Amino acid sequence: MVGEAEHPSGDVGPLDGVTVLDASRVLVGPFCTMQLGDLGAEVIKVERPGTGDQTRGWHPPRYGDAEESSYYMSVNRNKRSITLALDTEEGREAFRALAADADVLVENFRVGRMDRWGLGYADLREGNPELVYCALSGYGEWGPDRDQPAYDIMMQAEGGLMSITGVDGGAPVRVGVALADIGAGMYATQAVLAALFEREFGDGTGQKIDVSLLDGQAAWMSYMATNYFATGDPPGRMGSKHPTIAPYRAFETADDYVVVAVASEPIWERFCRAIDRPDLYADERFETNSDRVANREALDEDLEALFAERETAAVLERLREHDVPASGVNDMADVFSHPQVLARGMRASVDHPTAGTVEFPGTPMHLSRTPTTVRRHPPLLGEHTDEVLREQGYSDEDLEDLYAAGALGDRFEGEPFDGEASDD
């Protein structure tokens, strides 16, 4: 709706024609809006003048001479950036004008902040009943902790993930990426798409979405939660082991590690043949998966000794010859040179005005008729302020008044950059 900007790539995604006003920052909201942008939506990222999204400054590392961190680059492609000072009435009025023509608004301010600015759902739906308004927060908009601050590591701890992550008897371990943020961002994307679908086939009005990081973590506990509900015993840390499948874990080899997933009885038979251990297959202690779980210590002791004498490549070759699910443990260099990852277009790149070529993971959503695309570089701060507001109908005189009032910060120097994108 806002700004009928053409797709630089020429491709049209399934959300072509949908405009998203992105008032979020850091990770959970930007991850959500990046997915919507990958799906073809026009995403307008609203940032604070002067500093913008704080992750711009979370470096090192960064690409070349870019001012922005690689963290910022990871979740802000397919967006245009404008700066608005929402602590000024002029900035809020410009925001309301954009929201009046938007399909979706995503924000992750502390609960109540947007309401105090007169930019909450109740305020904005008066000017745009079709608006889908997605509010993201640590604890959600009701409950005793709604006003508490939240970051991913505390959500991993409070939501139970750290109680089941790490080695038995060891310290709690944070998962290596911010899964609480990313998980809530994925739920937000699903909820936005569902609300747009309902708007299309319902009465045409939008609705408010409330997604919290803690809710997302509780939902992601999945079978670990039901294991607790079934037994009354909270599960603990098991390293890479699985509570109800064996063997299903990482084993140290002579030169690295190998991960095996023996998740069925046919796989168990093939596994025993692959490692030349018919005696294990014949052993009554390991006859069924339930037996193997009950006698896990004896089985692990035997397999640990076996794998410790073999090199990873040789082990993987044998296991794969016998159709046993197995893998080495890849680092980022391994992942993004992996033939399968490259074949699927999961290493994407785009030209950037100050960083040269920027690379990041591609999109895992592959649609046959309306493909996802990487069309725009992660924008410079305020790179599109004048462009977006002119599309909204602001004149040069209107823009000068907004700059003079301090509603837009400093004017971006130069023209918006139009680079090339590719999937390697």
Side-chain angles (χ1 to χ4, degrees):
M1 293 164 67
V2 176
E4 297 298 324
E6 294 183 1
H7 289 273
S9 69
D11 291 318
V12 176
L15 294 186
D16 181 57
V18 172
T19 296
V20 177
L21 193 59
D22 180 8
S24 69
R25 64 261 186 252
V26 188
L27 183 55
V28 59
F31 185 79
C32 167
T33 55
M34 179 186 72
Q35 292 179 91
L36 299 174
D38 289 351
L39 288 164
E42 174 66 21
V43 181
I44 299 170
K45 183 177 179 67
V46 179
E47 302 188 71
R48 178 185 301 172
T51 56
D53 188 321
Q54 54 261 55
T55 64
R56 289 179 179 273
W58 285 6
H59 48 66
R62 54 185 166 188
Y63 293 89
D65 295 329
E67 294 183 4
E68 295 82 9
S69 69
S70 60
Y71 190 116
Y72 165 81
M73 298 284 196
S74 72
V75 289
N76 283 291
R77 65 180 181 232
N78 288 337
K79 304 177 186 182
R80 293 190 290 170
S81 169
I82 70 170
T83 50
L84 287 179
L86 298 182
D87 57 353
T88 68
E89 183 54 38
E90 294 85 355
R92 292 192 291 271
E93 279 302 315
F95 187 91
R96 292 186 188 101
L98 292 169
D101 279 344
D103 296 286
V104 178
L105 185 150
V106 178
E107 59 93 358
N108 64 342
F109 288 99
R110 293 280 289 271
V111 172
R113 175 69 61 82
M114 292 290 272
D115 291 322
R116 290 194 293 274
W117 279 336
L119 303 176
Y121 177 60
D123 303 296
L124 297 182
R125 72 178 176 184
E126 291 183 5
N128 182 3
E130 299 178 7
L131 182 65
V132 172
Y133 188 113
C134 182
L136 292 151
S137 60
Y139 294 94
E141 299 210 342
W142 64 83
D145 292 332
R146 54 162 284 180
D147 296 321
Q148 297 302 313
Y151 279 89
D152 178 86
I153 190 171
M154 11 171 339
M155 293 295 96
Q156 289 195 30
E158 196 161 2
L161 186 59
M162 289 175 71
S163 76
I164 57 174
T165 304
V167 298
D168 183 16
V173 176
R174 169 187 172 273
V175 175
V177 293
L179 282 190
D181 276 299
I182 291 172
M186 293 180 71
Y187 279 122
T189 302
Q190 295 175 52
V192 166
L193 295 176
L196 288 172
F197 184 89
E198 192 280 335
R199 187 185 74 176
E200 182 70 19
F201 291 96
D203 63 5
T205 58
Q207 58 186 300
K208 185 173 183 180
I209 297 165
D210 172 12
V211 173
S212 87
L213 273 68
L214 184 60
D215 291 352
Q217 285 296 276
W220 270 22
M221 290 304 95
S222 182
Y223 59 83
M224 284 300 203
T226 56
N227 288 353
Y228 161 67
F229 295 143
T231 66
D233 296 323
R237 303 180 189 96
M238 300 181 67
S240 63
K241 299 175 185 178
H242 194 286
T244 58
I245 306 172
Y248 192 100
R249 52 164 291 191
F251 290 96
E252 189 170 5
T253 63
D255 60 346
D256 198 13
Y257 286 87
V258 64
V259 172
V260 299
V262 181
S264 71
E265 302 312 327
I267 297 176
W268 171 242
E269 180 183 7
R270 299 198 299 271
F271 174 79
C272 292
R273 284 193 280 112
I275 62 173
D276 297 320
R277 290 294 304 272
D279 58 305
L280 292 179
Y281 186 69
D283 194 323
E284 291 184 355
R285 294 176 300 167
F286 311 135
E287 184 173 358
T288 68
N289 179 68
S290 296
D291 295 328
R292 294 190 293 277
V293 170
N295 296 288
R296 186 197 303 271
E297 288 187 13
L299 179 60
D300 281 350
E301 183 179 356
D302 202 325
L303 294 178
E304 286 169 0
L306 182 150
F307 285 118
E309 297 177 350
R310 305 184 184 186
E311 293 188 351
T312 300
V315 169
L316 287 175
E317 183 177 2
R318 285 286 294 173
L319 292 173
R320 288 169 179 168
E321 284 176 354
H322 288 77
D323 199 26
V324 175
S327 175
V329 178
N330 290 340
D331 62 19
M332 292 302 104
D334 298 322
V335 172
F336 290 101
S337 61
H338 194 297
Q340 182 67 20
V341 170
L342 298 179
R344 298 283 291 176
M346 288 305 299
R347 181 169 179 167
S349 65
V350 68
D351 289 340
H352 188 276
T354 62
T357 299
V358 173
E359 292 186 290
F360 27 57
T363 171
M365 299 175 285
H366 302 283
L367 288 81
S368 65
R369 190 166 49 80
T370 53
T372 55
T373 53
V374 176
R375 307 177 305 281
R376 296 184 183 278
H377 64 279
L380 302 178
L381 180 60
E383 183 177 354
H384 306 95
T385 300
D386 288 7
E387 177 182 274
V388 168
L389 292 178
R390 285 194 179 105
E391 291 168 0
Q392 183 62 24
Y394 283 75
S395 66
D396 288 346
E397 184 178 354
D398 294 332
L399 292 176
E400 292 303 328
D401 290 342
L402 287 172
Y403 279 111
L408 305 181
D410 295 330
R411 180 169 247 136
F412 180 79
E413 297 294 333
E415 296 295 323
F417 178 76
D418 185 12
E420 296 293 328
S422 68
D423 296 328
D424 292 344

